[in-house]
Amino acid sequence: MNRRDFLKATGGTIVAVGSGAYAFRFMTQTNTRFRHAGLPEGQTQKLYGMVIDLTKCEPGCTACMDACRRENNIAEPGAEENHERWDIHWIRKVRMESGVGEVHREREIPLLCNHCDNPPCAQVCPVQATYKRHDGIVIVDQHRCIGCRYCMIACPYNARYFNFKDHHADWTNPDHPKRSHGVAEACNLCAHRLDVGQKPACVEACEQIGCGAIMVGDLNNPTEGELHNPEDLVSRFIAENPVQRIRDDLGTEPKVYYYGL
Amino acid sequence: MSEKKKTGIIGLIVLTLIILVPLVLSIIPVGQAGSQDLDGVFLEMPADSIQNCIMNTDSMRYHHWEILLGMRERVVRYGIREEHGLHSCRDCHTSRERFCNQCHNAVSMDPDCFGCHYYP
């Protein structure tokens, strides 16, 4: 065996043993902390979406906004610590105009985080505090948020807000945390309620006043797993009606659908 | 030459000691004040009918924060809401002032859980 062959054999052995050991360790490690949590047996992956039926939405009604404030411990507008300059609306009503002259019309539409399938806010987040959950909800991990506000700039719907102040309002819902000052936040589609099988607060409030304009459900599964009556299936509604999405041209693939926009 | 060497060795020993002193002192418990504080901690315990938390008391005392961090990660990142969490702590340990803060104050810990989460 000459020197060249010897070096080749040695090098080859080192590479093979090293990579083998690394692969073995990688495959057999049991640290599941950062691994994606699998679904329970017999469940399909959900993809939550929302439909807002503007033909049922009443102008001037603020039931969804009030319910959202109560659910998420956001201080009432006009309170001393909640000046309108830093007021937070997870869902808000926006006045939209279309047409000129005789076809001109105005309407108020509820606007909230659109839970984009391709969320710009999550793309720009430098610490991955904003991210898309496996069921499609775009959510902020306020423990990680550093308050850089890139997501507020990136969001094309202006649906994200920044906590300029600490919240000192009363606890209207002790089961849901407040946010401390210096973090960004947005609608999380009431993930804490959806996880335990309840409807989001705005949906519930809209049904209670008899409008039923907001619907939330599974876009993946058209037949079951809905939170609503069988005739209110979200995916069926989207398939059967001419629904629109706001700023669909941006390619963010929002999951909030509007009917009668 | 040997003089220089000797000075160098002495200097090295002195330097090592200077570096070691704070390390050693930090291991040796200094005085009685600290331990008295810890002995005087009054924890409001839940009713006698409740024997253990979700783990035994010693494990909870040292690892409750790790358990809470793990729960936090599972809830916030993956949406897995288990039976226990910070909200179920307050079922038994009803007061933050009389339970959580007693130890946290004694060891100068200031966890910011309660800035956002409700705990009476």
Side-chain angles (χ1 to χ4, degrees), chain A residues 34-35 37 128 131 133-134 141 143-144 171 174-175 177-180 192 195, chain B residues 69-70 72-73 75-81 87 90 114-119:
Chain A
F34 295 108
R35 208 175 279 173
Q128 295 176 17
Y131 62 100
R133 247 167 59 150
H134 55 278
D141 183 353
H143 304 103
R144 288 195 194 188
W171 285 98
D175 290 332
K178 293 177 181 176
R179 278 73 47 194
S180 65
H192 55 287
D195 283 344
Chain B
L69 283 190
R72 180 183 94 182
E73 176 123 347
V75 168
V76 178
R77 306 301 288 195
Y78 305 120
I80 305 165
R81 286 167 206 273
H87 63 278
R90 59 179 192 247
F114 310 117
C116 303
H117 290 271
Y118 177 74
Y119 209 109

Side-chain angles (χ1 to χ4, degrees), chain A residues 180-200:
Chain A
S180 65
H181 100 278
V183 294
E185 66 182 54
C187 164
N188 58 7
L189 212 61
C190 281
H192 55 287
R193 290 170 74 99
L194 286 174
D195 283 344
V196 295
Q198 291 175 313
K199 298 168 197 167

Side-chain angles (χ1 to χ4, degrees), chain A residues 63-64 66-68 70 200-212:
Chain A
C64 48
D66 297 340
C68 184
R70 281 195 301 275
C202 51
V203 178
E204 214 170 72
C206 199
E207 281 182 0
Q208 273 173 8
I209 63 160
C211 284

Side-chain angles (χ1 to χ4, degrees), chain A residues 124-199:
Chain A
V124 298
C125 184
V127 292
Q128 295 176 17
T130 302
Y131 62 100
K132 193 176 73 170
R133 247 167 59 150
H134 55 278
D135 52 6
I137 298 175
V138 178
I139 195 170
V140 193
D141 183 353
Q142 264 103 8
H143 304 103
R144 288 195 194 188
C145 181
I146 55 171
C148 69
R149 288 173 264 176
Y150 282 150
C151 54
M152 295 169 64
I153 300 163
C155 180
Y157 306 99
N158 277 351
R160 298 180 79 85
Y161 291 88
F162 188 71
N163 284 284
F164 287 100
K165 302 270 174 180
D166 266 329
H167 284 274
H168 299 293
D170 292 337
W171 285 98
T172 45
N173 179 17
D175 290 332
H176 192 62
K178 293 177 181 176
R179 278 73 47 194
S180 65
H181 100 278
V183 294
E185 66 182 54
C187 164
N188 58 7
L189 212 61
C190 281
H192 55 287
R193 290 170 74 99
L194 286 174
D195 283 344
V196 295
Q198 291 175 313
K199 298 168 197 167

